[in-house]
Amino acid sequence: MQEIFLGPARFDASPDHRLDGFRWSADARSHGAVTVADLACNGEWNLWATAETPEWLTIHVPREGLSGMTRRQITTTASPGQMLLGQSREADRFLVRGGRHRSQKLFLDWGQICQTFGQLFEAPLVGSLDLLPLVDGSTPSGHLVKNLVETIISGMLGDAILLHSPIAMVNLTQALADLLVRLVPHRYSQRLEQAAFTPAPRHVRRAIDFMHANIAEPITIAMIAQSANVSVRSLETGFRTFKGATPGSYLRTLRLRAARKDLLDRSNLQSIRDICLKWGFVHAGRFSALYASVYGESPRETRRRKTSSKAS
């Protein structure tokens, strides 16, 4: 069961207690940014992320029994008619409960969520999104999300009709990420609900484009303002108004994400110190503190997870 179900899902698992007369069935398929799985068993299990587990949004759809997740010492369970959402690297563990259990699961590449967030907010997602873990399929928004999740799952399992249509898969995946960020409550939801939330003006967008194009260069705020053809003061006002940040902190966020990408890159042999310097963080101690405050782990812990994944 672990080989069939947890192989594509890349989690580790163990039964919650001794299993006698164990019976099970499982199926799992992957395509691009999405992996789906169907599991039925008569035992209770605990699942947790390993060094090889990608950053996924995991969506559990229980059919019989309960699906659960423990995060920050809080356990949330979903019953049939509900869905359970959790980021694979943030959850302490996932639970399979019930004398008889059946559930379907969709694992969505977290990069899809980050990309959608960036398009909606015109700003990078840093740290946890804190999506509400429990989605009720009886509410209008929950029903809409649940229907799309089930459409993707059913289309990838069985006769796998969706696997023969890459364009449909891409469109459905993008639609799902958009619905999740728009409809499921999270710590940025209030900004979406505010009537005053409008796209950033042209000079702010130009400044952001300049930052992306020169992220590894020693650029200054004055250079960024010049690229946008505005004064430093106007640039700072625009960023505070439309991005809730200063131009400097926004650039620091972009560089922090780039540093994390390097730390997780298995082919990158640079030291942590070299990565710090590459992305403009001169003081390694301050970089480590900032990194830990955003990602919940030190740069060394991120590098260690990548190294252990290679060893396995």
Side-chain angles (χ1 to χ4, degrees):
M1 185 193 77
Q2 286 182 281
E3 181 179 350
I4 292 176
F5 170 67
L6 297 173
R10 300 189 215 172
F11 284 84
D12 202 355
S14 66
D16 192 51
H17 50 75
R18 180 183 176 88
L19 300 177
D20 296 318
F22 181 56
R23 297 182 302 279
W24 63 275
S25 65
D27 188 13
R29 312 279 178 87
S30 294
H31 186 283
V34 180
T35 293
V36 299
D38 191 328
L39 171 67
C41 63
N42 64 336
E44 300 188 340
W45 290 75
N46 299 314
L47 301 88
W48 57 91
T50 70
E52 294 186 346
T53 305
E55 286 192 283
W56 273 332
L57 174 65
T58 66
I59 304 175
H60 299 249
V61 185
R63 305 297 188 189
E64 188 174 6
L66 301 175
S67 294
M69 175 184 68
T70 298
R71 178 175 180 248
R72 297 174 183 169
Q73 299 182 331
I74 298 175
T75 298
T76 304
T77 58
S79 56
Q82 299 175 318
M83 292 189 304
L84 184 73
L85 310 183
Q87 214 267 23
S88 60
R89 294 283 179 80
E90 295 179 358
D92 299 319
R93 62 172 179 163
F94 294 96
L95 318 172
V96 170
R97 293 292 182 263
R100 296 181 59 181
H101 175 90
R102 182 171 179 240
S103 62
Q104 294 175 323
K105 310 175 193 300
L106 186 151
F107 305 95
L108 177 63
D109 186 341
W110 189 247
Q112 290 283 326
I113 299 295
C114 293
Q115 179 181 341
T116 299
F117 181 94
Q119 291 170 347
L120 287 175
F121 290 90
E122 296 184 327
L125 172 61
V126 177
S128 175
L129 184 57
D130 283 336
L131 279 167
L132 186 73
L134 197 62
V135 176
D136 189 344
S138 66
T139 65
S141 59
H143 182 71
L144 187 60
V145 175
K146 189 169 183 289
N147 276 352
L148 183 52
V149 168
E150 292 182 339
T151 296
I152 296 174
I153 290 174
S154 62
M156 291 180 66
L157 296 175
D159 58 6
I161 188 172
L162 275 180
L163 299 185
H164 303 290
S165 180
I167 294 177
M169 276 298 306
V170 169
N171 289 337
L172 288 173
T173 300
Q174 291 175 345
L176 176 58
D178 187 74
L179 284 182
L180 289 166
V181 175
R182 289 180 184 273
L183 300 183
V184 178
H186 51 76
R187 68 187 179 105
Y188 295 96
S189 293
Q190 188 174 358
R191 286 190 61 191
L192 280 176
E193 295 171 358
Q194 290 173 349
F197 180 75
T198 56
R202 183 177 298 176
H203 73 275
V204 173
R205 296 198 300 271
R206 283 178 177 173
I208 291 173
D209 289 342
F210 181 80
M211 290 181 188
H212 279 287
N214 298 276
I215 188 173
E217 302 299 326
I219 56 177
T220 65
I221 301 303
M223 293 168 63
I224 297 172
Q226 184 178 11
S227 74
N229 199 28
V230 295
S231 67
V232 170
R233 182 174 181 178
S234 295
L235 183 71
E236 290 178 343
T237 300
F239 267 80
R240 287 195 175 95
T241 301
F242 292 93
K243 297 301 175 186
T246 65
S249 63
Y250 193 95
L251 178 61
R252 187 164 55 248
T253 294
L254 295 179
R255 287 173 167 167
L256 197 65
R257 287 185 62 195
R260 178 171 174 80
K261 185 176 180 180
D262 276 351
L263 289 168
L264 289 169
D265 183 359
R266 299 185 185 186
S267 64
N268 192 319
L269 302 180
Q270 291 178 297
S271 68
I272 294 176
R273 176 64 177 170
D274 287 343
I275 291 174
C276 284
L277 294 174
K278 173 184 176 181
W279 297 112
F281 297 98
V282 179
H283 194 289
R286 292 174 185 168
F287 167 75
S288 295
L290 177 63
Y291 186 94
S293 70
V294 171
Y295 294 109
E297 62 183 12
S298 69
R300 192 173 301 277
E301 288 171 328
T302 300
R303 172 58 61 86
R304 187 182 302 124
R305 184 174 59 215
K306 180 196 74 170
T307 304
S308 63
S309 176
K310 288 178 66 177
S312 63

